[in-house]
Amino acid sequence: MERLDHLEHLDRHLVDELAQVARETVRDELREQTRKQRRTAMLYAASGAVALYAGAALALAVGLALALGLPDWAAALITAVILGAVAYALRGAARPSASRPTAGREAAAAVPDRAAEAAPPAAAPPSGLGTPYPPMPPVAPAAPGTPEPGTAPGQDGTDPEQPHHRA
């Protein structure tokens, strides 16, 4: 029995050592991966900062070029309008619009929908951001004895508080 107790102690010691080695290996691997990701993130951040300064220098150059033939305030105003138009165009390019097909719209266009053909097109809201609400999905016909969709319980003549036993 003493030999088995001694071996059990060795087994525990071996398991503890293996767990420690596994923890250190995983920790070292994670440390290496995060170091690479941190370096990549810092390079992206530096690239963004330099691009921001390059854009500011370009805007300044445009303003100074316009200031050669115009008053300074007019050159600054024209530069601001140009930058605003570029920002608006970039925002529009980032958002999906009705004129550009997306993957979901292409799939929907490939399968004709009879309900969509019969219904008139929905008017766009004044904001111009598309439909004011999502389209209603097609509904399967109701089984006999079930209330119509959109009706509250009890409108079919039954009291929802009473038991529904049929004789």
Side-chain angles (χ1 to χ4, degrees):
M1 263 327 215
E2 290 180 21
R3 282 182 80 176
L4 292 179
D5 290 339
H6 181 66
L7 289 177
E8 185 178 313
H9 174 70
L10 288 177
D11 288 344
R12 275 195 216 134
H13 185 66
L14 181 62
V15 167
D16 290 343
E17 280 189 47
L18 285 174
Q20 181 66 26
V21 168
R23 278 193 294 269
E24 289 174 3
T25 305
V26 168
R27 189 178 302 131
D28 291 342
E29 184 67 29
L30 288 174
R31 196 173 287 143
E32 182 180 331
Q33 287 178 1
T34 55
R35 187 178 303 126
K36 289 178 185 177
Q37 290 174 350
R38 192 178 315 133
R39 181 176 183 272
T40 302
M42 285 176 38
L43 289 174
Y44 274 121
S47 171
V50 170
L52 180 68
Y53 281 110
L58 179 65
L60 179 65
V62 168
L64 289 174
L66 289 172
L68 292 176
L70 296 171
D72 292 343
W73 65 268
L77 183 62
I78 291 171
T79 304
V81 168
I82 291 171
L83 289 174
V86 169
Y88 185 77
L90 289 173
R91 188 191 114 211
R95 288 185 169 183
S97 67
S99 63
R100 287 187 303 180
T102 60
R105 289 195 191 119
E106 288 173 359
V111 178
D113 185 13
R114 283 183 240 132
E117 292 171 359
S127 65
L129 298 176
T131 57
Y133 48 86
M136 291 292 294
V139 179
T146 59
E148 288 291 321
T151 60
Q155 289 182 351
D156 59 353
T158 60
D159 186 5
E161 299 296 323
Q162 297 297 323
H164 300 289
H165 300 289
R166 295 198 179 188

